[in-house]
Amino acid sequence: DWAAAVDAVRTGLRPGARVLLVCHVNPDGDALGSMLGFAQGLRRLGVTSLQCTFPGPLTVPEPLHMPAMDLLIPEAEADPAPDLLVTFDAASESRLGALVDRLETATVSLVLDHHASNTGFGKVSLVDPCAAATSVVAAELLRRLDVPLDRDMAECLYIALVTDTGSFKFDLTTPEVHELAARLVATGIDVGAISRRIFDSRPFGAVRLFGEVMGRAQLEPASAGGRGLVYAVATLDDLRKHDQPPYVLEALIDSVRCVAEADVALLLKQVAPTEWAVSMRSKGGADVSRIAVAMGGGGHRLAAGFTGHGTAEEIIDAVRERLAAQG
Ligand code: 5GP
Ligand code: MN
Ligand code: MN
């Protein structure tokens, strides 16, 4: 609850307290934006020992570059036993990689998240499945701590909001989301430039890569328990052929899910010969987070994902079966 969360943050405000912020592996706009926005709020409140990190290599895709990235440190340099640990947008402990041990070593741990599949880890947990983004939760906590928004803070929180709502298109885009957006935009952030950088700008090679992968997409009108299923498979060969880094594929699911005949969309992104990052989207009939959780991942009812092992066909078969079982 909010009071416990405010109390948790106050631990981190004690003189000399060391604070560690962690977001989920392979961070997206919400993970990074909510963490870096909140970090700037903590700085405002006087926190001086402040680290931000995430598991894995410390690389941020260019479209997600944002203010306060100087606070990011490699996970190896993260405080082994901080006074306060805050996690962002992580639905389960596995999303924290090797940093999961900080849940034990930190004096206080606070979990900020919005996944219905959140497993309830952390000493204090602030998880709102009705929030469109973790940044909605983070912004509300900052408001309750009386932190005034500034432009850089707002840019981070806005990037988080605009990415997780699909530019204010998805189902959880409530009046409160627009009210928060209004407060963020009022700080003077350049929403046009942010949108162009994140959504409307990709290398020509990535456009050709998208064309190639979409050219092989398959539609199964009668799959998914009578619902249509569309799927596409992006291999490491595709990336090599078009000389593109894996992150460019993050946007591709938005093209796959547009297929009118399909209620469920699936994108398999190869990360190793028998390892795939799988993105799933539903238009409402199917709960893809249940499938993701069953496959070892997580997410939301209409947008979820997991790491799959085996051949692409095996993974598609497994998803198809679970969809059919959902009826
Ligand atoms: P995306 O398909 O855009 O990568 O992710 C959609 C949603 O599924 C996000 O909310 C994300 O948190 C969740 N998700 C994606 N991949 C994984 C995964 O491997 N594990 C878990 N637990 N959640 C995932
Ligand atoms: Mn996320
Ligand atoms: Mn999120």
Side-chain angles (χ1 to χ4, degrees), residues 224-248:
R227 292 185 282 265
L229 171 69
V230 62
Y231 60 86
V233 178
T235 65
L236 289 171
D237 270 344
D238 294 322
L239 288 174
R240 262 192 298 272
K241 179 174 169 190
H242 295 281
D243 194 25
Q244 295 301 308
Y247 80 78
V248 304

Side-chain angles (χ1 to χ4, degrees), residues 30 89-91 112-118 126-137 164 172 299-300:
D30 188 27
D89 205 39
L112 303 187
D113 187 32
H114 68 127
H115 291 91
S117 66
N118 187 285
L126 209 52
V127 180
D128 181 2
C130 296
T134 294
S135 75
V136 173
V137 180
D164 259 30
L172 291 172
H300 313 277

